[in-house]
Amino acid sequence: MRWLAEVHVALRPGIADPEGQTIGTALRSLGYETVSEVRSGKLMSISFDADDESAAEAAIGEMCRRLLANPVMDTATWELRAEQTDADKAITA
Amino acid sequence: MLARRPRVVVVVFPGTWSERDFAHVAENVLGWECRTLWHLEAELGACDAVVLPGGFAHGDHLRTGAIARFSPIMRAVEAFAAAGGPVIGSCNGFQVLTEAGLLPGALMRNDHLQFRCDWQSLRVERPERAPAWLGDLANGDVIRLPISHGEGRYIADAATLDGLEREGRVVLRYANVAGEVTDEANPNGSQRSIAGLVNERGNVLGLMPHPERAAEAELGGTDGLRLFRSLERWLQEQPAATERRL
C-alpha cells in the first residue's frame, strides 16, 4: 500500500529560534501587533510503500529518529494517510 | 616514535570546500603526506590522522552534517576514532561530528541569522584534554583563527553542558583579544561561548574556527599551525599510532 506522511519537524520548546523571532518581528512591524510568538519548522511530505498502517507508522517513526529530526534540538510529529496509487485507481474504475 | 612524515586523510563530501586549504597546509607548509578521500570510499587506508573539513556537505540540506554522517567513509572515521586515532572536524566537519554522535550537542543558525566571516580570538582551556591537537598550547593561551559560518551556535541541554565543563572538555571559547569570555566576543550566540570541544577520550576535536586558514604569516596569522605542530609532536610520542590501518 502507498502511504503519505506529512512530517512536521519543530524546534524543541526552550530552544532559541532566531528565524521565528525575526518573522515575528516582521509581522508585528506590518501591524499584526497581537502576534506574540512565531516558531519556525519544516514540513516534509513523504510518500512510501508499507504493508499496513502499523508498518507505515513504524517506518515513519524510524525515519524521524534516524534522519529527519535531531533529538538535541527537534521534535517530530506526523500525520499518516493511505494514498491511492494509479493501480488502486484502475481497480476502482 | 614516528620516523617518517605524518600521513593525514582529508575527507571530501559533496559540497566540502576547505579540503584544498588543509591539503595545501599539510603538504606545502608542513611537509606532510596528505590524501583527500571521497566520501563514498569505505576505508581510510594507512593514516595517522583524519580531517573533516569545512564547507556545506550535501548543501547543508535538512540540517548541517545530517546527511554526511551516513556517508560510507564515516563508518571508517568512527572506527578510527574508536581506536583512539586523532580526528579533527572544523566548521562543517564539527557539525558532521555532532550529527554522527562523536561529539555531543548540535550547531544551529547563528543567533543574529548572519553569516560571519572574520578573525576571532579564542581562549584555550584544558589543552591537556586534547593532547593530540592542543598539546603545544597552554591553559589560558589566546589564539586568533578565522571563523566563517552561518550555523555555529553551539547548543546542548544543561546536563550535557555541565558534564562537558566538569570533565574539562570545552577546550576553546570565543573571547576578546585579552582572552576574556564575554557576550560581545561571542560571534554566534553559542551557549557558554563554546567554540571547540573534545570527546571523552580526547582524540576527537570539533571546532567552528578554521586552523588551516591561519597557517601562513602572509595570510594574516599562524596560530592554526600550533594545532598541527601539536599533532606532529604527539604522533612522534605515540609508538602505537604509527601503523594504524583501518
Side-chain angles (χ1 to χ4, degrees), chain B residues 35 63 65 71 75 103 108 114 120 129 138 144 157 184 189 202 216 236:
Chain B
R35 278 184 296 126
R63 294 179 306 279
S71 286
R75 302 292 81 71
L103 292 172
M108 300 186 67
Q114 293 167 358
Q120 171 72 44
R129 289 294 280 116
R144 213 168 134 264
D157 60 42
E184 294 70 40
E216 290 163 291
Q236 284 168 356

Side-chain angles (χ1 to χ4, degrees), chain B residues 32-170:
Chain B
W32 295 358
E33 286 178 34
C34 180
R35 278 184 296 126
T36 52
L37 204 59
W38 185 235
H39 74 122
L40 295 179
E41 298 289 336
E43 292 182 11
L44 292 169
C47 68
D48 302 309
V50 173
V51 175
L52 301 182
F56 302 84
H58 299 276
D60 275 355
H61 294 310
L62 191 61
R63 294 179 306 279
T64 58
I67 295 170
R69 66 157 293 203
F70 291 108
S71 286
I73 196 62
M74 285 305 294
R75 302 292 81 71
V77 174
E78 285 161 13
F80 184 81
V87 176
I88 190 171
S90 158
C91 199
N92 193 215
F94 186 13
Q95 295 160 343
V96 174
L97 288 173
T98 59
E99 280 285 341
L102 290 171
L103 292 172
L107 292 141
M108 300 186 67
R109 184 75 67 88
N110 295 349
D111 60 354
H112 43 70
L113 297 177
Q114 293 167 358
F115 193 95
R116 204 37 76 77
C117 186
D118 207 349
W119 285 87
Q120 171 72 44
S121 295
L122 302 149
R123 188 173 79 191
V124 178
E125 295 182 14
R126 304 290 302 272
E128 76 281 4
R129 289 294 280 116
W133 296 109
L134 300 174
D136 280 3
L137 292 101
N139 196 46
D141 275 359
V142 182
I143 60 173
R144 213 168 134 264
L145 298 177
I147 56 167
S148 173
H149 61 252
E151 302 191 52
R153 175 167 54 106
Y154 183 80
I155 65 140
D157 60 42
T160 302
L161 291 170
D162 290 342
L164 288 171
E165 304 270 15
R166 203 168 44 244
E167 294 164 18
R169 290 166 54 190
V170 178

Side-chain angles (χ1 to χ4, degrees), chain A residues 9 11 15-19 21-22 42 44 66-70 72-74, chain B residues 62-63 66-67 69-70 99 105-113 153 155-156:
Chain A
V9 176
L11 292 172
I15 298 276
D17 177 12
E19 189 173 355
Q21 287 164 5
T22 304
K42 282 195 176 76
M44 288 170 268
R66 293 193 65 202
L67 178 66
L68 304 179
N70 179 340
V72 174
M73 55 182 159
D74 297 325
Chain B
L62 191 61
R63 294 179 306 279
I67 295 170
R69 66 157 293 203
F70 291 108
E99 280 285 341
L107 292 141
M108 300 186 67
R109 184 75 67 88
N110 295 349
D111 60 354
H112 43 70
L113 297 177
R153 175 167 54 106
I155 65 140

Side-chain angles (χ1 to χ4, degrees), chain A residues 42-63:
Chain A
K42 282 195 176 76
L43 179 68
M44 288 170 268
S45 302
I46 300 178
S47 298
F48 63 108
D49 292 320
D51 289 342
D52 54 39
E53 188 168 355
S54 71
E57 277 284 343
I60 200 72
E62 190 180 304
M63 290 181 216

